Amino acid sequence: MIPGVIRLIEKASDVLLQWIPIEEDGEMTQIHYSKKESPGSVACRAEDDMFDPGYEPDWAVISTVGTKVRPQEDLLAVKHGNREKWAFSISLSELKSVRKSKPGLSWSYLIFITKEGVSFQALHFHQGGTKALLKALRKYVILAVSPKDSRLFLVYPHDSHALSHSFDELQMFDDGSSDLVSRFFQDPYSTTFGGFSKVTNFFRGALPRLDGHHHRPLSEMAVGLEDEPGFEVITCQVELGERPVIQRQAPVSEQEWESYINSEGQVMNVDGLKKRIFSGGLCPGLRKDAWKYLLGYYPWDSTAEDRKSLLRRKTDEYFRMKLQWKSVSEDQEKRNSLLRGYRSLIERDVSRTDRNNKFYEGNDNPGLCLLNDALMTYCMYNFDLGYVQGMSDLLSPILYVMQNEVDAFWCFTGFMEMVHHNFEESQESMKRQLSQLNLLLRVLDPALCDFLDSKESGNLSCCFRWLLIWFKREFSFQDILLLWEVLWTGLPCPNFHLLVACGILDLEREALMNSDYGFNEILKHINELTMKMSVEDILCRAEALNQQLAHCQELPLNIKELLGKAEVKSPAPSTDTASPPQPLSPSQVHELDLTDSVSPSQPDSSIEILPTEDTTTSQSLSP
């Protein structure tokens, strides 16, 4: 066993992971921490401090910590005799994966593997610390657990340059400062709280770049990212057959609706009614009642008497929750920063939501007050989620249709049950949906996927807003009413909204591929589609795409599972059709012990924690 120290060294354009052996001086181990000095600055004075390794349960430091007054080059060239041959240094851009130890060992180890296939010697952490090291690495790269091997972490770059372009083109932030991306990675919640939504660092990391892939027979699944184990993407062209021609039907009329209601007020043949709503939508006069069923406010089998009783209970419950925030005095609110934040954000969003609609136009419009009150009450209904920008876009059409604060609120909660994951801080749902959209598009139109990949747009971040608020800003207000009631039926398959997104990309295929568009131009083109598309045309395209996939005999299993077309089987061990790995969210890294197999109560007594500064720094971790 050779004792040593790990450093993450920040340089102007790169970050290095370095391990060097150290000399043992008596019973104490001295770890040196060196900081690059700006020109003309004075190096830190030498200072030795003694620390109790068990003082802090998670961040206890090593025995002795000090700084040395000597250049960085001298520090990195410390002589270690014969041990020096084991030292290594690697750029994080050359790191391919990290393998952890098997669970159950008395201590943990990590093995770093380069893109050239070189495996460095195992680094053993006798007193914990691997979890902290991986957390430190996440500042610079994305770590994803391989679905084939839970002990293997795949390494991908953040690629913040493309991310910054995505933000600028989609206009998700009012702040266009040059340090936006760096602030975004450090604190995604605070950085995006005043923006369109709580977006986290995933645009370039959530999906792989598929440059230089080769087509293979249908029976094979190509492995992307230089044949990274377990990261499977479809690179084969599936024979989908001819696309059918879809004709939309007439909306469900009031007479037709009545034919589905029995003498007690119960809805009969629910599946048949949903199919009619999917194929034709609803006439405007029916939406106020029908939406209550589609959004789960009214049970489909409820009688007229049941609904009267339900309405009384729900009305009482709503106003009790509304009274909770209404009764907060100004003095109380001064000591409640969370409530103040929600109130300020809601007031700002309400003032600019659908103001061209007559129901919300004007400064003293009562519709604005109802919208504000319902959103504030939702903060009382769902304390964990509260209010996130974008929710006002979802409530506005519902309130317009219901013309009633209580009914609109409970229908809104039903809608949020479907999409609340879109607004969670981790954004895992949005990452997953963009990954699934990429997977669908690669089967439906490989050529378009290849084109987008070549323009650095293969991650489909330009479609983020579509999925976040279900195309609310892409279609006219009346078209959104039709689109949403169609999607709420849950037909013809799960995740049909992803096929709607594919339908839009299919519509714009020629415009994109026959142009000289680059990354910025593609984002700009997608953003400018707002209010220029026919929802009927897009729904026909989406349904035709679904039928194409449904009739394909060679459809990959992961596509079948995504669209609910796979046969239900009993759980089995991991297979080759595992889903692509997802980047670890901050909450996942915090909750899961990624590598340490020591006792949970064992402190990370081998960690040296030093304050970060604006100047280039290196962090030391003693294995």
Side-chain angles (χ1 to χ4, degrees):
M1 291 293 186
I2 302 176
V5 62
I6 292 177
R7 289 186 176 90
L8 292 175
I9 303 175
E10 296 181 353
K11 293 193 172 183
S13 60
D14 200 3
V15 179
L16 300 180
L17 173 71
Q18 180 191 71
W19 181 86
I20 57 175
I22 58 175
E23 293 287 343
E24 294 180 307
D25 185 8
E27 296 180 354
M28 303 301 293
T29 300
Q30 188 175 50
I31 305 300
H32 303 294
Y33 172 77
S34 177
K35 187 177 297 183
K36 276 191 174 181
E37 302 296 330
S38 57
S41 64
V42 181
C44 299
R45 63 185 178 86
E47 181 178 348
D48 292 340
D49 298 306
M50 300 300 296
F51 293 84
D52 178 5
Y55 182 73
E56 295 183 29
D58 293 324
W59 297 102
V61 297
I62 56 175
S63 301
T64 305
V65 180
T67 57
K68 293 291 182 178
V69 186
R70 56 179 174 179
Q72 176 78 10
E73 290 75 18
D74 291 344
L75 175 65
L76 302 183
V78 177
K79 295 182 180 179
H80 299 291
N82 294 332
R83 297 180 177 183
E84 193 174 15
K85 65 181 181 179
W86 297 105
F88 69 84
S89 178
I90 179 177
S91 167
L92 295 189
S93 62
E94 296 300 317
L95 193 60
K96 178 180 180 181
S97 57
V98 182
R99 179 171 292 279
K100 67 175 182 178
S101 56
K102 293 181 179 180
L105 298 179
S106 57
W107 62 73
S108 299
Y109 67 80
L110 295 177
I111 299 176
F112 295 91
I113 306 168
T114 69
K115 293 180 179 179
E116 297 178 354
V118 177
S119 297
F120 293 101
Q121 63 269 22
L123 302 180
H124 297 260
F125 294 72
H126 290 237
Q127 293 180 304
T130 52
K131 180 179 179 180
L133 175 58
L134 292 180
K135 183 177 181 180
L137 285 172
R138 287 186 65 257
K139 288 181 58 179
Y140 311 103
V141 294
I142 289 177
L143 300 178
V145 181
S146 170
K148 282 189 173 181
D149 187 350
S150 60
R151 296 169 50 209
L152 187 68
F153 295 92
L154 314 181
V155 181
Y156 307 118
H158 283 301
D159 197 352
S160 61
H161 175 71
L163 177 63
S164 179
H165 276 296
S166 298
F167 289 162
D168 293 340
E169 291 298 327
L170 290 176
Q171 300 177 345
M172 289 183 177
F173 299 91
D174 296 329
D175 185 353
S177 58
S178 59
D179 66 336
L180 172 62
V181 173
S182 62
R183 290 187 290 109
F184 180 77
F185 285 135
Q186 293 171 5
D187 189 359
Y189 181 87
S190 299
T191 305
T192 58
F193 186 74
F196 183 67
S197 181
K198 300 172 186 174
V199 188
T200 53
N201 53 332
F202 74 93
F203 279 112
R204 301 297 295 170
L207 296 171
R209 290 190 60 183
L210 305 173
D211 296 337
H213 61 264
H214 302 284
H215 291 291
R216 298 183 180 179
L218 179 61
S219 59
E220 298 183 11
M221 298 290 285
V223 179
L225 290 173
E226 297 181 314
D227 294 330
E228 188 64 77
F231 204 100
E232 297 179 337
V233 294
I234 297 174
T235 58
C236 55
Q237 293 197 19
V238 177
E239 186 60 42
L240 294 175
E242 186 177 354
R243 185 180 301 180
V245 177
I246 302 298
Q247 295 291 334
R248 297 282 298 167
Q249 298 181 20
V252 177
S253 65
E254 294 184 14
Q255 283 186 337
E256 186 177 359
W257 175 268
E258 289 296 330
S259 68
Y260 286 92
I261 309 297
N262 66 14
S263 59
E264 295 183 351
Q266 294 174 306
V267 178
M268 309 299 293
N269 190 12
V270 175
D271 291 340
L273 179 56
K274 285 184 177 180
K275 289 179 181 178
R276 276 292 291 120
I277 297 173
F278 172 79
S279 62
L282 295 160
C283 69
L286 282 176
R287 286 181 173 138
K288 186 172 184 179
D289 288 329
W291 281 21
K292 295 174 184 177
Y293 292 95
L294 291 171
L295 291 170
Y297 180 26
Y298 285 172
W300 288 98
D301 60 351
S302 62
T303 65
E305 289 300 320
D306 292 337
R307 293 191 290 274
K308 289 179 181 179
S309 176
L310 176 67
L311 180 59
R312 287 193 295 268
R313 294 198 310 272
K314 289 297 187 181
T315 299
D316 290 343
E317 185 177 354
Y318 174 78
F319 283 106
R320 279 198 302 271
M321 290 187 293
K322 183 175 180 178
L323 185 61
Q324 290 175 357
W325 65 268
K326 279 282 191 179
S327 60
V328 175
S329 66
E330 292 185 6
D331 188 53
Q332 284 179 301
E333 192 167 317
K334 290 179 181 179
R335 296 185 294 274
N336 191 332
S337 59
L338 186 62
L339 184 61
R340 288 200 314 272
Y342 286 149
R343 187 190 296 274
S344 175
L345 196 58
I346 289 172
E347 288 177 353
R348 186 174 63 193
D349 284 358
V350 165
S351 67
R352 58 191 182 189
T353 300
D354 292 325
R355 296 307 300 276
N356 294 327
N357 188 299
K358 290 184 178 181
F359 188 73
Y360 298 108
E361 69 182 2
N363 295 326
D364 299 323
N365 194 305
L368 297 177
C369 296
L370 296 180
L371 190 63
N372 178 89
D373 289 359
L375 291 171
M376 284 295 297
T377 305
Y378 186 78
C379 296
M380 302 293 104
Y381 173 81
N382 190 339
F383 284 103
D384 290 337
L385 185 58
Y387 177 79
V388 183
Q389 286 184 314
M391 290 183 182
S392 59
D393 281 287
L394 302 186
L395 175 58
S396 171
I398 297 175
L399 181 59
Y400 168 82
V401 168
M402 295 297 156
Q403 305 280 308
N404 177 280
E405 181 180 359
V406 175
D407 291 342
F409 175 81
W410 290 112
C411 288
F412 174 66
T413 61
F415 194 7
M416 286 302 298
E417 283 298 311
M418 303 179 192
V419 299
H420 71 94
H421 294 295
N422 290 3
F423 298 94
E424 292 178 351
E425 184 180 352
S426 70
Q427 289 291 290
E428 289 301 315
S429 176
M430 293 303 300
K431 300 174 193 177
R432 182 176 62 254
Q433 290 178 71
L434 285 175
S435 176
Q436 292 169 341
L437 180 59
N438 179 277
L439 190 63
L440 279 173
L441 192 63
R442 193 157 297 280
V443 171
L444 291 167
D445 197 339
L448 178 58
C449 261
D450 291 342
F451 169 80
L452 293 175
D453 287 337
S454 70
K455 302 298 182 179
E456 297 186 343
S457 300
N459 59 13
L460 300 178
S461 60
C462 55
C463 306
F464 177 84
R465 187 175 69 187
W466 299 356
L467 307 181
L468 179 71
I469 53 175
W470 275 28
F471 312 96
K472 168 62 166 54
R473 299 188 183 181
E474 317 313 317
F475 296 98
S476 68
F477 196 86
Q478 292 300 321
D479 278 355
I480 278 297
L481 305 184
L482 170 61
L483 176 61
W484 283 2
E485 64 197 16
V486 168
L487 294 176
W488 291 337
T489 65
L491 300 175
C493 63
N495 298 305
F496 184 66
H497 68 294
L498 298 180
L499 289 175
V500 172
C502 289
I504 298 176
L505 293 173
D506 179 70
L507 176 67
E508 298 301 314
R509 183 183 193 275
E510 299 302 321
L512 293 172
M513 297 186 67
N514 293 336
S515 65
D516 294 327
Y517 288 165
F519 180 82
N520 292 338
E521 291 77 14
I522 290 174
L523 283 170
K524 185 173 183 291
H525 178 83
I526 293 297
N527 222 25
E528 291 177 348
L529 294 176
T530 300
M531 307 301 167
K532 297 179 181 179
M533 298 178 290
S534 165
V535 72
E536 294 279 0
D537 180 26
I538 297 302
L539 284 173
C540 287
R541 290 174 181 268
E543 188 175 355
L545 293 175
N546 175 69
Q547 291 191 19
Q548 269 190 302
L549 294 171
H551 293 116
C552 178
Q553 300 298 319
E554 299 176 324
L555 201 62
L557 180 59
N558 45 11
I559 298 295
K560 291 181 179 179
E561 292 174 341
L562 178 61
L563 301 179
K565 304 181 188 302
E567 296 180 2
V568 179
K569 297 182 179 180
S570 58
S574 177
T575 66
D576 290 340
T577 56
S579 59
Q582 297 292 334
L584 300 178
S585 69
S587 60
Q588 286 176 307
V589 174
H590 177 72
E591 293 172 1
L592 299 177
D593 189 348
L594 299 179
T595 56
D596 289 11
S597 57
V598 295
S599 170
S601 61
Q602 176 89 27
D604 281 334
S605 57
S606 60
I607 308 301
E608 176 184 354
I609 303 302
L610 296 158
T612 58
E613 296 184 7
D614 293 337
T615 55
T616 306
T617 63
S618 66
Q619 301 181 12
S620 295
L621 298 150
S622 174

